[in-house]
């Protein structure tokens, strides 16, 4: 049921995209986030192929900050996807969430400077 709701939500976002570019950006954000989650949340089937060294931690934590083209809708989707994929500390996976944290854009903190 949760997966069906997720697909409906994604379809709604794509339908609301104002331009083809907006849809392309959302698809790109979605693929990039899922690819990164694939790498940091390995499938149990693949775990046997991962070589651990004493220096490497068992769990890596990755935190993302938004780029100029990332909207609050994208940020919420990324965080929701991390929760759906059972990432520990999923709400911390992406900063600048609309309802919590510090909105980087509002305070002028971007990759172009402060």
């Amino acid at each position: 049921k949760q997966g069906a709701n997720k697909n409906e939500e994604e379809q709604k976002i794509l339908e609301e995209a104002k331009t083809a570019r907006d849809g392309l950006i959302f698809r790109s954000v979605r693929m990039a986030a899922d690819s990164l989650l694939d790498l940091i949340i390995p499938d149990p089937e693949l775990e046997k192929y991962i070589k651990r060294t004493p220096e490497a931690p068992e769990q890596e934590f990755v935190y993302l900050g938004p780029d100029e083209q990332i909207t609050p809708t994208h940020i919420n989707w990324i965080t929701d996807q991390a929760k759906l994929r059972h990432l520990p500390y999923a709400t911390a996976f992406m900063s600048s969430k609309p309802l919590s944290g510090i909105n980087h854009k509002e305070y002028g903190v971007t990759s172009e400077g402060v």
Side-chain angles (χ1 to χ4, degrees), residues 42-49:
D43 183 315
E45 292 280 323
L46 301 177
E47 196 63 37
K48 62 185 170 193
Y49 300 107

Side-chain angles (χ1 to χ4, degrees), residues 6 9-10 13 25-38 40-41 62-98 105:
K6 194 77 172 155
E9 179 183 331
E10 290 174 20
I13 291 169
I25 289 171
F26 178 65
R27 286 183 192 94
S28 299
V29 165
R30 200 173 57 186
M31 286 187 269
D34 270 333
S35 296
L36 187 56
L37 289 168
D38 286 344
I40 60 177
I41 308 172
V62 176
Y63 304 98
L64 305 176
D67 189 25
E68 282 72 22
Q69 302 303 315
I70 303 297
T71 67
T73 301
H74 300 141
I75 293 168
N76 287 335
W77 186 90
I78 290 167
T79 305
D80 290 346
Q81 189 69 358
K83 288 176 192 172
L84 184 68
R85 304 269 307 264
H86 305 290
L87 178 69
Y89 311 108
T91 56
F93 183 53
M94 183 81 183
S95 65
S96 199
K97 290 175 288 304
K105 292 176 189 178

